[in-house]
Amino acid sequence: MTYKLSSAIGGAAIAIAAALPASAQEADLPRSMLWSTYDVGSSGYVEASAIADAFGKEFDTRVRIMPSGTSIGRLLPLKTGRVQYGWLANEVYFATEALYDFEAQEWGPQDLRVVAGRPSTFGMAIATDSGIKSIADIRGKRVPRIKANPSINIKVEAMLAFAGLTWEDVEVVEVPSYGAALRAVVDGQADVAGTTPTAATLYELEGSSRGLSWARLPKDNAEGWEAISKVASFFAPATATGGAGISEDKPAEIFAVRYPMITVYAETEEQEVYNFIKALDAAFGIYKDATPAMPSWALADAGTTPQDAPFHPGAIRYLKEIGVWTDDDQAWNDARLARMDKVQAAWEQATETAMDQNVSSKDWPAFWAEKRDEMLN
């Protein structure tokens, strides 16, 4: 599935959403809800706040938001039932795959489901004076890798894979933060960086002597996209027409990711999720202009695959009713569910083996990584 994202994004989708059958009278929400989000000031927090305000106006539902700057801080309240919905990012994928923070024995693969997820874009920003013209040209060049930020690093890894490259093929520049990665390109300490096109630092790069361009990820390169999908299943081709160094006349062929994703556990009652997504749709006219990104919450965009986890049955039921859910979406969802079953089975088998072999908690992460690779890859 390919996304066309621009300043006029979702125009057609908005028209579709306006014609959809949901109504305030049909949606049945509780009087109060609690949601977890990224920390205050993040786009996820702002967007959740706008939709919470719309729910208050349309349904008289009071929503409190619990912000956190860590993936565990956002997901733990959802796991324990303290919050009903998490507005999450790639921790959804990592949690379902038992990676990084979630490889700990007290976590393991989480049985998460997506209700809806806004499409966003991400690409490889290039300092034009580096001479890089394509992903393949990044071989031997300086690429930032951000400490303790697997969400960004996995995207860079996927883009490198598009040209058959890995971290071993580039000169890794270790940086402490996402902002530092972009600053390294501006300051001449790196040649490229993975980023969203609207990051403020990119406009500085665009206006500098280094210049800014974007590495192409053309959607018709089947081999390249197959390599991306082997890194993670939640990427899709996208054509961006807005952002630093990008315009309608100079679009960028990059990829689409989802952020934020409204997330629940699989055990969440189907009717509850059905009512929530129906309310999300019914209130769209209230919140769609709250930020430039909000039009992308139209379900014709936010209710499609791929996402970082399968859709919840309650969401699928509503998406089918309004004609958004397709056979391709169902096929992707079925494959993602099958993958999660394999991961969960691998975790159970590895756990039993670890008990038999008296593997310590300290040694478990390395043990799980080895067993995970054997059983899944």
Side-chain angles (χ1 to χ4, degrees):
M1 183 169 292
T2 302
Y3 298 100
K4 178 77 170 180
L5 302 175
S6 69
S7 58
I9 185 171
I14 294 170
I16 292 172
L20 299 180
S23 71
Q25 290 71 34
E26 294 172 343
D28 182 16
L29 293 181
R31 294 302 302 271
S32 64
M33 284 189 281
L34 187 60
W35 303 344
S36 63
T37 72
Y38 264 68
D39 40 8
V40 175
S42 68
S43 56
Y45 178 88
V46 171
E47 291 169 35
S49 297
I51 293 176
D53 182 65
F55 278 15
K57 293 176 179 176
E58 189 79 353
F59 307 106
D60 197 27
T61 293
R62 180 175 178 266
V63 179
R64 291 177 53 213
I65 293 177
M66 179 187 296
S68 175
T70 69
S71 58
I72 295 295
R74 290 183 293 274
L75 195 52
L76 183 59
L78 189 65
K79 180 179 175 66
T80 60
R82 185 178 180 188
V83 306
Q84 292 79 49
Y85 296 89
W87 294 63
L88 309 179
N90 292 133
E91 62 264 27
V92 175
Y93 179 78
F94 300 139
T96 62
E97 293 281 322
L99 292 170
Y100 305 111
D101 291 344
F102 303 99
E103 67 184 8
Q105 288 177 307
E106 60 267 27
W107 279 97
Q110 301 297 296
D111 205 15
L112 299 176
R113 298 292 185 270
V114 169
V115 180
R118 176 177 68 79
S120 181
T121 54
F122 196 93
M124 192 78 86
I126 298 169
T128 305
D129 68 357
S130 67
I132 297 171
K133 302 293 184 182
S134 69
I135 294 289
D137 294 335
I138 299 175
R139 183 184 297 273
K141 299 293 186 178
R142 299 169 298 173
V143 182
R145 184 165 58 194
I146 306 169
K147 295 178 182 177
N149 194 329
S151 179
I152 297 294
N153 293 337
I154 196 173
K155 296 179 179 69
V156 174
E157 181 180 340
M159 288 186 284
L160 291 173
F162 185 83
L165 304 179
T166 70
W167 289 106
E168 299 296 322
D169 299 308
V170 302
E171 181 182 339
V172 174
V173 179
E174 298 286 357
V175 295
S177 67
Y178 173 54
L182 301 185
R183 175 53 54 186
V185 181
V186 174
D187 293 343
Q189 297 163 354
D191 301 305
V192 302
T195 177
T196 58
T198 55
T201 306
L202 294 180
Y203 293 95
E204 182 180 347
L205 177 62
E206 182 182 17
S208 73
S209 59
R210 301 209 72 190
L212 169 65
S213 54
W214 292 89
R216 294 180 63 242
L217 301 168
K219 64 182 180 181
D220 57 0
N221 186 330
E223 183 178 351
W225 276 100
E226 182 180 358
I228 285 177
S229 68
K230 288 181 179 178
V231 175
S233 61
F234 53 79
F235 301 113
T239 301
T241 55
I246 300 173
S247 66
E248 290 280 354
D249 297 328
K250 190 181 177 182
E253 294 179 278
I254 51 180
F255 60 41
V257 293
R258 302 288 180 153
Y259 172 72
M261 286 166 282
I262 305 172
T263 309
V264 296
Y265 272 83
E267 64 196 25
T268 306
E269 201 266 324
E270 180 176 325
Q271 188 63 38
E272 175 188 334
V273 174
Y274 176 88
N275 286 332
F276 182 95
I277 194 171
K278 180 178 285 190
L280 188 71
D281 190 20
F284 180 73
I286 299 175
Y287 63 76
K288 68 181 179 65
D289 296 321
T291 76
M294 295 306 284
S296 296
W297 279 106
L299 291 182
D301 288 329
T304 58
T305 61
Q307 303 266 354
D308 287 38
F311 273 80
H312 191 279
I316 293 174
R317 175 153 65 97
Y318 184 71
L319 293 168
K320 285 181 176 179
E321 286 182 8
I322 63 176
V324 168
W325 193 256
T326 67
D327 290 344
D328 286 344
D329 290 320
Q330 188 63 53
W332 181 92
N333 213 67
D334 291 343
R336 189 69 181 89
L337 285 166
R339 166 68 182 190
M340 287 176 60
D341 287 344
K342 289 180 63 177
V343 175
Q344 292 165 15
W347 179 270
E348 291 177 6
Q349 183 177 337
T351 299
E352 292 177 2
T353 303
M355 291 178 64
D356 293 339
Q357 298 179 6
N358 293 319
V359 175
S360 67
S361 297
K362 178 182 177 182
D363 294 332
W364 166 258
F367 180 84
W368 164 239
E370 180 181 350
K371 293 300 182 183
R372 185 182 188 279
D373 189 61
E374 288 177 4
M375 291 183 277
L376 297 176
N377 299 322

